[in-house]
């Protein structure tokens, strides 16, 4: 195994990208965004008879911790699972199992008549197993999912499965099994947006400054947008803002503020000191999952004071 953590990290980054591209092509069309997570324990073993193409008639076993990569990949739809292994020598092995369209992978289920994309029809299960230089052009087979469990958004937590593949019309089977566990899934992102009860209006330039606080249960970059509106005798002054960003860290509310210039206001009206309506929106991408989280529509009455 390589001793350089830098080399290992670089190899892993390249392999993650390659694996994601391979899964997208080999298993297309996958529904839902796939995410990869490293196995903390497990093994993948396979064997084939003499003349079997993918195994080259050999038996091999890979264990988590003794290879450069041992990743499980799952889409949010929970209908498929991918296993990617990169050996210390840099060879990449990939396994893809997918239920028929509209079904989820189910504990104890055996899927027969499996083939690889694009030969497989929507109602067929999909099975592919191979390496960089050992891929079938066509294949048939079956697999059994003894156990599978998911966390949020298709995070594959546990997998136990066996599979049998016949490559390029051969009658020689390749048989394999995989057992893997990943770490406990990270918490889903939760964010909050508070609005300050007081803002400022610059009576010389007409600019309005408002703000608040942001909260989060894990680091997140929160995009801020919203508006300020003030009812006046002759109509309503409205100023909109967007593009604000808060780098939120958990533990304590993080302050934020934005200034709305007159160019972002409805023409013909300017804000004055007094009561106004303040609306704020916040959203952030969950760095652990393929999800965007919203802080909701926050609205409050505020007092604008002269700056």
């Amino acid at each position: 195994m390589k001793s350089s953590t830098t080399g290992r990290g670089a190899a892993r980054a390249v392999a993650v990208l390659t694996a994601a591209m391979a899964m997208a092509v080999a298993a297309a069309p996958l529904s839902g965004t796939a995410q990869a997570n490293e196995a903390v324990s497990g093994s993948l073993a396979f064997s084939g008879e003499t003349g079997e193409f993918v195994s080259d008639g050999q038996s091999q076993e890979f264990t988590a911790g003794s290879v450069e990569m041992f990743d499980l990949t799952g889409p949010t739809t929970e209908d498929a699972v991918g296993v990617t292994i990169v050996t210390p020598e840099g060879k990449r092995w990939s396994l893809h199992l997918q239920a028929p369209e509209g079904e989820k992978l189910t504990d104890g289920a055996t899927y027969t008549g499996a083939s690889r994309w694009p030969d497989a029809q929507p109602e067929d299960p999909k099975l592919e197993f191979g390496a960089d230089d050992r891929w079938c052009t066509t294949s048939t087979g079956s697999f059994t999912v003894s156990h599978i469990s998911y966390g949020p958004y298709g995070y594959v937590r546990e997998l136990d499965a066996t599979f049998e593949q016949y490559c390029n019309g051969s009658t020689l089977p390749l048989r394999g099994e995989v057992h893997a566990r990943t770490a406990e899934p990270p918490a889903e992102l939760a964010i909050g947006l508070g609005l300050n009860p007081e803002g400022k209006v610059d009576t010389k330039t007409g600019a309005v400054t408002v703000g608040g606080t942001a909260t989060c249960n894990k680091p997140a970059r929160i995009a801020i947008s919203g508006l300020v509106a003030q009812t006046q005798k002759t109509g309503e002054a409205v100023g909109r803002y967007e593009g604000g960003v808060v780098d939120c860290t958990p533990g304590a509310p993080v302050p934020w503020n934005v200034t709305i210039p007159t160019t972002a206001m409805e023409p013909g009206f300017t804000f004055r000191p007094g009561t106004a309506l303040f609306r704020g929106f916040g959203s952030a991408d969950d760095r652990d999952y393929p999800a965007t989280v919203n802080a909701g529509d926050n609205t409050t009455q505020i007092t604008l004071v002269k700056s």
Side-chain angles (χ1 to χ4, degrees), residues 23-32 77 79 96 98 101 117-118 120-122 126:
M23 190 172 186
V25 173
L30 264 183
S31 55
T77 46
D79 62 347
H96 175 74
Q98 186 170 354
E101 188 174 284
W117 187 87
Q121 298 301 305
K126 287 80 175 173

Side-chain angles (χ1 to χ4, degrees), residues 24-163:
V25 173
L30 264 183
S31 55
T33 303
Q35 56 176 318
N37 298 284
E38 186 173 10
V40 295
S41 65
S43 64
L44 185 148
F46 64 91
S47 63
E49 300 177 22
T50 301
E52 198 284 317
F53 176 69
V54 173
S55 67
D56 197 24
Q58 305 295 313
S59 298
Q60 294 195 60
E61 181 173 0
F62 307 110
T63 58
S66 66
V67 291
E68 290 291 323
M69 174 192 286
F70 195 131
D71 274 8
L72 300 185
T73 306
T76 58
T77 46
E78 300 183 5
D79 62 347
V81 63
V83 181
T84 302
I85 290 171
V86 177
T87 69
E89 297 74 32
K91 188 170 186 177
R92 181 172 59 87
W93 291 87
S94 298
L95 170 67
H96 175 74
L97 309 174
Q98 186 170 354
E101 188 174 284
E103 298 181 23
K104 293 185 178 183
L105 290 177
T106 306
D107 280 10
T110 295
Y111 300 87
T112 59
S115 57
R116 72 189 302 265
W117 187 87
D119 299 322
Q121 298 301 305
E123 64 272 15
D124 296 332
K126 287 80 175 173
L127 164 64
E128 292 186 72
F129 179 67
D132 298 323
D133 56 347
R134 292 280 170 175
W135 279 107
C136 306
T137 302
T138 62
S139 66
T140 58
S142 62
F143 61 92
T144 297
V145 178
S146 302
H147 173 65
I148 189 167
S149 67
Y150 292 93
Y153 300 98
Y155 182 107
V156 182
R157 179 67 182 89
E158 301 174 327
L159 173 66
D160 295 289
T162 58
F163 58 95

